[in-house]
Amino acid sequence: MTSPTTGGGAPLGRTPLQRVVTASALGTTVEYYDFTLYSTTAALVFNKVFFPESTPLVGTLASFATFFVGYIARPLGGLVFGHFGDRLGRKNVLITTMLMMGLGTFAIGLIPSYASIGVAAPILLVLIRLIQGLGMGGEYGGGVLMALEYSPRGRQGFYTSLVHIGTPAGVLLPVGLVTLLTTVLPEGAYDGWAWRVPFLLSVLLIAVGVYIRLRVSESPEFLKMRDDRETRRLPITELLTGYGGKVVLSILAKIAESGLYNVYYVVAVAYATTHLNLPRTPILMAVLIACVVECLTLPIFGALSDRIGRRKVYVGGALFQAVLAAPFFLLVSTGDFFLTTLAMTLGLGIGHGAMYGAQAALFANLYPVRVRYTGLSATQQFGATLGGGLAPLIGTSLLVAAGGHWSYVALYGVAIAVISGVSASRLRSGEAGHPTSADAQEMAHR
């Protein structure tokens, strides 16, 4: 096969794999910039801007309800864009999903407050979140598959984990902006108007992301499948009839990775700032430090998954987080910056990093190329909805039920970590009972 070229036919400035990984990582960055900025602002401000008539904790709960609305749309977006990604190709779908996510974030920065237009404000927020959710539903699967299908088989864990660096990077950018604004601006400025600035700045990420994606060629494995006339008219039908068990197990395996990420970040930030009345800046700085650490640990865990097996790394991360659940909140509850940073670093950099570093290659290799986009999107989006989407609602509700104490949230974390660990341990790659080379490598390491 000849080397891929840019959209205009000129040779790429870097290797095709480097260009694809960069484009995919940037897409993940945009996705999690949108995701993190919304969740951060929901925890800190939206209860006042869009739900001012509620008590602080109840207003935060209402804000997280709108956060969950975006998750509701993600499975539908995953199935719709997965269908077109398996039939028409990965590249064009990814440009569409990036525009939907990024422009939605920009639009949120323009919504008037409840004080200005009343109930229309939260209604607009919900509608935009639905559109964003549809775009997010199709983004992950395509971005990961472009990297996976360009990668050497024995290094898929490493290269797809580089795509996942976009997740902590997508946290660093908005949290860094929020921290900067809350630090340098006068008291009340962030809550009053400055919270809109990071939303409006998202347009810069969109422009860069679309430009890079236009210069990336289609996945070679998809092109081969299309040339061999193996595309399916309805990939979802083959997925459900031939791989239904894998879909269910992978969704359950995904819940803890997504859910505990939001427990560490979203629920813990709301708990610390709303219930413990701790200042925002040290909590956000702890998150920033943990995200920097995760940027470093993700490729380490990805490479480790190539050497000893993806399931081993993934299950190990789940079990680590089950053990960490109570100590995490004990450390955060001290209010000490260094102990809070340690808690965030263990949760995000080690526990979540292990699961997320191995996740893409583990889940994508469950399905053949002809249904891979649909299958991976179903795994990711249904699992993320049940895990990450529900975690802020469940976590905040458990805090309310326990009178602000964290014990119920810790039990919830243990439960989903065990469920995901057991489910992941039962996953097998390959088609029709025949293991892929990745699965054969993993069995050789046992």
Side-chain angles (χ1 to χ4, degrees):
M1 179 180 291
T2 59
S3 298
T5 61
T6 66
L12 292 172
R14 295 183 294 177
T15 67
L17 177 56
Q18 289 175 324
R19 180 64 63 89
V20 165
V21 169
T22 300
S24 298
L26 184 58
T28 306
T29 302
V30 171
E31 177 183 358
Y32 275 86
Y33 181 96
D34 299 342
F35 164 86
T36 303
L37 180 58
Y38 189 93
S39 59
T40 303
T41 315
L44 300 178
V45 175
F46 279 178
N47 59 334
K48 306 168 188 174
V49 175
F50 296 111
F51 308 98
E53 298 181 355
S54 305
T55 62
L57 201 55
V58 173
T60 301
L61 186 60
S63 298
F64 287 157
T66 62
F67 176 77
F68 180 60
V69 164
Y71 273 95
I72 293 175
R74 287 175 70 161
L76 176 60
L79 295 178
V80 170
F81 289 112
H83 169 84
F84 289 110
D86 280 330
R87 282 189 51 78
L88 305 178
R90 291 37 168 145
K91 177 181 173 178
N92 291 333
V93 168
L94 288 173
I95 294 172
T96 302
T97 57
M98 177 173 281
L99 287 171
M100 291 175 69
M101 292 186 308
L103 293 178
T105 298
F106 180 80
I108 288 174
L110 300 176
I111 300 177
S113 67
Y114 184 94
S116 299
I117 60 173
V119 72
I123 290 175
L124 285 173
L125 188 64
V126 168
L127 290 176
I128 293 172
R129 285 295 293 168
L130 286 170
I131 294 171
Q132 278 189 305
L134 290 172
M136 288 180 179
E139 169 65 29
Y140 175 86
V144 163
L145 292 187
M146 287 290 285
L148 182 111
E149 292 172 357
Y150 265 92
S151 302
R153 178 72 71 175
R155 301 202 70 195
Q156 288 178 341
F158 172 73
Y159 283 111
T160 55
S161 71
L162 295 180
V163 175
H164 281 171
I165 290 177
T167 298
V171 174
L172 282 169
L173 289 173
V175 174
L177 280 171
V178 171
T179 304
L180 177 65
L181 291 170
T182 56
T183 301
V184 304
L185 292 177
E187 182 73 24
Y190 179 77
D191 291 3
W193 60 269
W195 66 267
R196 300 179 184 274
V197 173
F199 285 89
L200 299 177
L201 288 178
S202 67
V203 72
L204 300 177
L205 278 176
I206 306 166
V208 174
V210 170
Y211 172 76
I212 292 179
R213 283 193 169 172
L214 286 171
R215 293 167 57 83
V216 170
S217 297
E218 183 57 80
S219 154
E221 288 195 33
F222 174 82
L223 292 176
K224 181 180 184 304
M225 178 191 69
R226 187 178 63 186
D227 291 343
D228 292 343
R229 300 182 182 276
E230 293 182 1
T231 54
R232 296 294 189 264
R233 189 170 67 87
L234 288 174
I236 185 65
T237 301
E238 179 176 347
L239 178 72
L240 294 179
T241 56
Y243 305 92
K246 292 182 178 181
V247 171
V248 172
L249 283 175
S250 61
I251 287 172
L252 293 175
K254 168 72 181 177
I255 288 175
E257 178 272 307
S258 179
L260 290 172
Y261 177 89
N262 280 358
V263 167
Y264 299 141
Y265 174 51
V266 183
V267 178
V269 169
Y271 167 70
T273 58
T274 302
H275 180 71
L276 299 180
N277 294 316
L278 297 175
R280 297 173 182 173
T281 300
I283 300 298
L284 295 178
M285 284 299 299
V287 173
L288 286 174
I289 293 170
C291 288
V292 171
V293 172
E294 188 171 14
C295 286
L296 302 175
T297 58
L298 276 170
I300 294 174
F301 285 118
L304 183 63
S305 76
D306 286 328
R307 291 181 60 84
I308 69 171
R310 283 129 200 178
R311 272 176 294 164
K312 289 181 180 179
V313 175
Y314 196 88
V315 173
L319 295 178
F320 178 86
Q321 292 182 92
V323 173
L324 180 66
F328 174 86
F329 279 99
L330 283 170
L331 292 170
V332 172
S333 296
T334 65
D336 181 82
F337 171 72
F338 293 102
L339 293 179
T340 299
T341 301
L342 175 62
M344 293 290 182
T345 301
L346 290 172
L348 293 174
I350 306 301
H352 181 262
M355 296 183 77
Y356 206 41
Q359 176 182 287
L362 172 64
F363 290 164
N365 278 307
L366 296 173
Y367 312 109
V369 177
R370 61 184 179 272
V371 298
R372 186 177 284 164
Y373 202 142
T374 304
L376 184 58
S377 295
T379 293
Q380 169 70 16
Q381 303 312 330
F382 282 97
T385 299
L386 295 173
L390 285 176
L393 283 173
I394 293 174
T396 308
S397 298
L398 291 173
L399 285 174
V400 173
H405 197 266
W406 51 263
S407 55
Y408 291 173
V409 182
L411 288 174
Y412 166 68
V414 172
I416 61 174
V418 170
I419 290 171
S420 288
V422 171
S423 299
S425 70
R426 301 187 62 184
L427 287 172
R428 298 290 185 274
S429 300
E431 181 179 2
H434 299 288
T436 63
S437 58
D439 202 41
Q441 287 175 352
E442 181 168 341
M443 288 187 289
H445 285 296
R446 291 188 195 136

